[in-house]
Amino acid sequence: MRTLLYFIVKDVVTARLAQARLGELADSSAQVVGPWFSQHDNQPVEALPSIDVGQITYREELAITGILVGAIVAALVVLRYGVSTGPGAAALAYVGATTLGAMIGWWGGGLIGTRIGRLGLGRRKAQMAQGQLLMIAGCKSNFKESTKQLIHELGGVVIDEHNDLLPNLRWV
């Protein structure tokens, strides 16, 4: 499983240095990805990779929840209104309805999730001083302490972390 680590770095120079040092680790066994940067008001930083909205919100978590809720609701609708022509048609109706319900739930959950920012991260971002940057880096869970130490040596402060549910499933 991958972990996303959130840091506050003091300026753009430190951000570029952190990007270079993490770039050296990207080819190692730590498999570090990123880093991504934004300013206090979620604006991108010139010439640095910007943050994806899924990294600072609950988009993926609510999209997965939406899949389950949508499939269950669709199955209940088919159960309630049923298909009276036979078991084959009923099975096809269940499969089709739960698939459609899951897709609609995934889409709706993702839309709702993008509007809900990560709570601890939001509080810490509000306290950031002018010129400071938010930096996010991803790594394997067993290498998170060494990644934290590397950024700490450069003057970055760890403010939050979370395990990425589906690291290879990203919205386009």
Side-chain angles (χ1 to χ4, degrees):
M1 182 172 277
R2 299 194 64 81
T3 299
L4 288 179
L5 302 170
Y6 300 89
F7 303 94
I8 292 179
V9 292
K10 52 187 169 191
D11 55 17
V12 176
V13 174
T14 306
R16 291 187 201 285
L17 185 58
Q19 183 181 23
R21 295 278 303 270
L22 288 174
E24 295 169 3
L25 285 179
D27 296 329
S28 71
S29 61
Q31 295 182 2
V32 174
V33 293
W36 302 279
F37 300 92
S38 79
Q39 297 175 18
H40 172 71
D41 54 356
N42 288 334
Q43 295 300 314
V45 182
E46 185 178 327
L48 292 174
S50 60
I51 292 174
D52 177 41
V53 70
Q55 297 168 333
I56 57 174
T57 63
Y58 289 103
R59 180 177 67 187
E60 275 86 13
E61 289 87 347
L62 287 179
I64 291 170
T65 303
I67 290 171
L68 298 174
V69 170
I72 291 169
V73 167
L76 290 175
V77 167
V78 171
L79 179 66
R80 170 68 175 100
Y81 295 106
V83 178
S84 61
T85 58
L92 186 60
Y94 275 112
V95 169
T98 55
T99 302
L100 181 63
M103 289 171 52
I104 292 170
W106 171 75
W107 177 75
L111 284 178
I112 293 168
T114 58
R115 302 200 191 310
I116 303 171
R118 296 198 174 274
L119 299 176
L121 183 62
R123 282 191 298 266
R124 295 298 297 264
K125 279 183 68 178
Q127 298 170 356
M128 285 174 44
Q130 190 68 20
Q132 289 184 328
L133 303 174
L134 172 68
M135 181 181 91
I136 300 174
C139 63
K140 285 185 175 179
S141 294
N142 52 341
F143 288 100
K144 69 181 178 183
E145 293 304 321
S146 60
T147 306
K148 285 180 184 180
Q149 182 64 32
L150 173 74
I151 302 302
H152 182 70
E153 289 171 2
L154 296 172
V157 177
V158 178
I159 58 171
D160 199 5
E161 68 179 66
H162 87 277
N163 291 332
D164 205 7
L165 279 172
L166 298 173
N168 297 320
L169 178 64
R170 290 280 181 240
W171 292 35
V172 178

